[in-house]
């Protein structure tokens, strides 16, 4: 299935909201803050919340009956867990109510040129996900352009659904240049998610025009409120 075609000039509020995975991954977040974040996500009708594994059950309870799905992370944030542990994390997350998984690639093995290991590590999580969406984080801050391209190709070979720029916990996050490169490195079957440092309406629209169809964000309310205000002003 081809990825959705989005354009900053024609995108609607509903389409923009459904590009956003509202991120609730900061280590210091309390249960109250997670609940408030889920409630915000439901009010703004975003695509998903991405919560820490320990909060998947809580988020699933809060968002039951809404149009916002629950996602979580696997091998986060460094990607260095063994494949068996990543698979166990994926299975537990699905049991707890997650339907989307953002897994971190084994960054060191990709940089080492161990493509077979990287591909099979991803493939094992995709198999465990049983058709649920798997987004694979490359963590571009640590990669060369060649490694980004190779990582994207391994993600597609392993059967995952998205390539993703960043965890948000590395020295740098998403860039327009990297999103364009990633979009060009995979077929239309694979979508691109950008994350890390996307905090304004202008930034998210630029990333969408570069080819991203999902965006991880914490400034969700500010972004979508700005879009509404702009739409009212332009009428």
């Amino acid at each position: 299935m081809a990825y959705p075609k989005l354009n900053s000039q024609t995108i609607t509020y509903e389409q923009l909201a459904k590009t956003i995975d509202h991120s609730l991954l900061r280590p210091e977040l309390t249960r109250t803050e997670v609940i408030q974040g889920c409630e915000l996500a439901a009010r703004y009708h975003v695509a998903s919340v991405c919560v820490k594994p320990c909060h998947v059950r809580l988020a699933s309870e809060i968002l039951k009956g809404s149009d916002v799905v629950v996602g979580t992370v696997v091998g986060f944030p460094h990607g260095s867990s063994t494949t068996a542990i990543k698979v166990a994390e994926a299975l537990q997350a699905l049991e707890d109510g997650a339907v989307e998984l953002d897994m971190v690639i084994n960054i060191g093995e990709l940089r080492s040129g161990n493509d077979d290991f990287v591909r099979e590590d991803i493939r094992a999580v995709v198999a465990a996900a049983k058709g649920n969406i798997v987004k694979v984080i490359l963590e571009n801050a640590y990669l060369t352009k060649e490694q980004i391209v190779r990582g994207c190709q391994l993600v597609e070979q392993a059967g995952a659904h998205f390539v993703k720029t960043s965890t948000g916990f590395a020295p740098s996050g998403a860039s327009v240049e990297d999103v364009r490169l990633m979009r060009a490195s995979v077929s239309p079957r694979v979508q691109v998610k950008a994350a890390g440092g996307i905090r304004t309406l202008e930034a998210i629209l630029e990333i969408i025009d570069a080819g991203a169809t999902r965006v991880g964000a914490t400034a969700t309310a500010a972004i979508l409120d700005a879009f509404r205000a702009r739409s009212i002003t332009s009428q």
Side-chain angles (χ1 to χ4, degrees), residues 4-171:
K5 303 291 185 182
L6 300 174
N7 181 295
S8 65
Q9 300 304 308
T10 59
I11 195 168
T12 65
Y13 173 88
E14 291 75 16
Q15 289 172 329
L16 180 60
K18 289 303 181 188
T19 68
I20 294 177
D21 292 341
H22 184 55
S23 178
L24 297 167
L25 295 172
R26 295 201 321 270
E28 76 277 14
L29 290 180
T30 65
R31 286 177 64 87
T32 297
E33 289 169 324
V34 172
I35 291 168
Q36 291 170 343
C38 290
E39 291 171 344
L40 183 152
R43 286 197 306 275
Y44 283 86
H45 301 283
V46 300
S48 79
V49 293
C50 191
V51 298
K52 293 175 287 188
C54 63
H55 289 141
V56 171
R57 285 188 184 273
L58 175 63
S60 297
E61 292 169 5
I62 299 300
L63 291 167
K64 185 177 181 180
S66 78
D67 63 345
V68 178
V69 303
V70 177
T72 192
V73 289
V74 172
F76 197 84
H78 298 131
S80 53
S81 304
T82 64
T83 300
I85 294 300
K86 288 181 178 178
V87 166
E89 281 190 295
L91 293 173
Q92 184 67 57
L94 296 173
E95 182 179 331
D96 290 346
V99 298
E100 297 190 357
L101 304 174
D102 288 33
M103 74 165 285
V104 186
I105 205 166
N106 191 304
I107 303 161
E109 293 300 320
L110 178 64
R111 284 166 50 90
S112 298
N114 194 353
D115 290 3
D116 289 343
F117 179 93
V118 172
R119 183 190 306 106
E120 295 312 308
D121 187 57
I122 301 166
R123 197 191 305 276
V125 174
V126 171
K130 298 181 175 66
N132 288 288
I133 287 177
V134 176
K135 307 167 205 155
V136 182
I137 305 167
L138 302 187
E139 200 68 290
N140 291 349
Y142 302 123
L143 305 177
T144 65
K145 300 306 181 188
E146 182 276 331
Q147 288 164 348
I148 292 171
V149 171
R150 188 157 44 84
C152 288
Q153 293 169 345
L154 293 171
V155 168
E156 179 157 14
Q157 291 167 19
H161 306 85
F162 280 80
V163 287
K164 180 178 170 183
T165 62
S166 323
T167 63
F169 291 88

